[in-house]
Amino acid sequence: MKIVIAHNRYASAQPSGENVIVDYEIGALREAGVEVVPFLRSSDEIASLPPQRKALLAASPVHAAGTQRRLAELIERERPDLLHLHNPYPLLSPSVVRTAHRAGIKVVQTIHNYRHDCMNGLYFRDGHDCRDCHGKRWNGPGVAHACYRGSRAQSAVMAVALGAHRDTWRSVDRFIALTDAMAGYLRSIGIADDRIRVKPNAVADPGVSPLGEGFLFSARLVPEKGVELLLDAWKRARPAVPLRIAGDGPLRGLVEDAAAAHPEVHYLGQLDPAARDAAVAASAAVVVPSIWQDILPTSGIEALAAGRAVVATRMGGAPFIAGEGTPAPAGVVAAPDADALAAAIREVAKDPSYAANARARYEAVFAPEVTLRRLVEIYEEVLAD
């Protein structure tokens, strides 16, 4: 089996769990004997483009003609069985679906965000949930609020791309939803149920080390990731253990101020993968305090893999990661408010059983062999149609 993996990597200045997952799947598929042909672009390329090429980028989310030529050439040369698409924006464009289909190649796409319907991909604006564009062919509210990169001009281009490619998305042969909730989202935007399959992400197995101490937050320092909520909850919980915060972003100053004012709060800065793994190992639990419907936060899965408990808000896929409602939950899930999150922090700090359950949940749901088997089953099903 030969698979083209197509992905527009997010800029390295904004580390992305999606990049981590794509890299992991490429490696896992190759280890399983699947021939992988990467078709990757990176948003880091944009800064080095000459001015005339940058001027052409405005239309890339709509079509990206040069990319389509390169993909058609790759398909002609490699003769793959299938194309697996992750993020198409801004340098690939959803047109890669049409390019593959014209060449007789079927397409699978993993859904990592809500961008088929919402131009910022979050359903989150100005600090709150937003569905103003849900179900609309043309995302006028998104343009008015400059939802894509804070620019009305770029938002207008993205609105055109989303409107122009509504039918493109309906032609995808299978969508991979990371949770049942994401399958419901796809149905809500008109994707037929027989084109949707559920398969969660996995992360590589780091092995289990003795429990560390305290809590870790590792994510971009942006409002929707909930670092402000976490700091407020931490002041109320006052556990006698450290809180380590890793990441970078516009709320970095807030975190640095908190670290300067409270000796138990430590700001680690932006960490590379090895340093992030070390930070997880040094902790007893990981906090995922998102205030948006975060699809399936990678930091939570990494916590389970290392045998660390999870404290999370009841948003998006975090309750699924923590195993809320199962006989052996791997953490505590709370409403997205400071008092509830503080109570969850206190509960996990005093009860080691959550960490004891974490590794078992990883092995049952998120382990490489489990998710890889499911992914290959989806490929085989599509090819057999």
Side-chain angles (χ1 to χ4, degrees):
M1 185 185 298
K2 182 186 286 190
I3 308 295
V4 172
I5 302 290
H7 177 55
N8 190 128
R9 297 181 66 83
Y10 294 86
S12 55
Q14 296 181 328
S16 160
E18 188 172 335
N19 287 348
V20 172
I21 293 301
V22 171
D23 291 342
Y24 161 74
E25 283 195 354
I26 289 174
L29 285 166
R30 283 173 168 165
E31 288 183 9
V34 176
E35 187 173 353
V36 176
V37 181
F39 187 70
L40 307 177
R41 298 290 301 274
S42 172
S43 292
D44 287 339
E45 299 172 27
I46 296 172
S48 62
L49 291 175
Q52 63 272 25
R53 298 250 337 253
K54 283 185 180 179
L56 296 175
L57 283 179
S60 289
V62 182
H63 183 59
T67 297
Q68 306 320 311
R69 286 193 298 271
R70 286 189 289 275
L71 177 59
E73 291 167 359
L74 180 144
I75 290 173
E76 175 67 22
R77 182 175 66 251
E78 297 289 344
R79 302 290 185 180
D81 298 298
L82 193 74
L83 184 141
H84 185 170
L85 174 63
H86 291 270
N87 172 45
Y89 298 115
L91 300 176
L92 296 185
S93 160
S95 289
V96 297
V97 176
R98 297 179 179 179
T99 299
H101 281 159
R102 278 195 298 269
I105 303 300
K106 293 182 177 179
V107 178
V108 169
Q109 188 191 18
T110 297
I111 305 301
H112 298 275
N113 54 47
Y114 304 103
R115 192 161 279 139
H116 285 38
D117 193 53
C118 167
M119 65 177 63
N120 72 18
L122 303 176
Y123 279 150
F124 186 86
R125 175 177 60 80
D126 298 333
H128 59 80
D129 186 83
C130 174
R131 306 295 167 115
D132 288 353
C133 295
H134 180 60
K136 293 182 171 66
R137 186 171 186 93
W138 303 104
N139 292 29
V143 177
H145 294 290
C147 287
Y148 188 66
R149 298 184 175 180
S151 164
R152 285 194 175 92
Q154 292 188 59
S155 296
V157 172
M158 184 57 72
V160 171
L162 293 178
H165 286 293
R166 296 287 184 190
D167 293 335
T168 302
W169 294 128
R170 288 183 174 87
S171 75
V172 169
D173 298 278
R174 293 292 188 281
F175 288 96
I176 297 177
L178 303 182
T179 64
D180 288 336
M182 285 305 293
Y185 153 72
L186 288 168
R187 288 190 289 269
S188 81
I189 61 171
I191 304 301
D193 193 57
D194 63 359
R195 292 177 180 259
I196 303 169
R197 299 294 181 267
V198 177
K199 179 202 75 71
N201 290 331
V203 297
D205 187 349
V208 179
S209 57
L211 272 185
E213 181 185 33
F215 292 74
L216 173 69
F217 169 94
S218 178
R220 287 176 294 123
L221 303 182
V222 292
E224 62 269 21
K225 290 294 185 178
V227 68
E228 293 174 282
L229 171 63
L230 171 60
L231 290 172
D232 189 4
W234 191 263
K235 287 187 289 187
R236 302 177 191 217
R238 297 188 179 278
V241 292
L243 169 64
R244 302 176 185 89
I245 297 177
D248 203 353
L251 298 182
R252 174 175 178 165
L254 179 74
V255 174
E256 290 175 331
D257 290 345
H262 304 284
E264 76 279 9
V265 177
H266 306 274
Y267 177 52
L268 306 181
Q270 185 65 60
L271 303 180
D272 62 28
R276 186 179 63 247
D277 289 347
V280 174
S283 303
V286 169
V287 190
V288 185
S290 298
I291 60 172
W292 73 290
Q293 298 294 340
D294 205 345
I295 312 302
L296 197 65
T298 303
S299 63
I301 304 174
E302 290 172 337
L304 301 188
R308 269 55 182 171
V310 175
V311 176
T313 49
R314 192 170 285 109
M315 302 292 287
F320 174 69
I321 291 173
E324 184 180 32
T326 64
V332 176
V333 180
D337 69 70
D339 285 333
L341 187 60
I345 290 169
R346 288 193 295 267
E347 171 69 16
V348 169
K350 71 181 182 182
D351 189 343
S353 69
Y354 296 111
N357 295 337
R359 179 68 186 187
R361 180 148 184 82
Y362 167 75
E363 291 175 350
V365 180
F366 301 103
E369 59 272 20
V370 175
T371 61
L372 181 63
R373 182 167 59 247
R374 178 62 175 146
L375 180 59
V376 173
E377 286 173 354
I378 294 169
Y379 289 164
E380 291 174 340
E381 176 190 293
V382 172
L383 293 174
D385 281 354

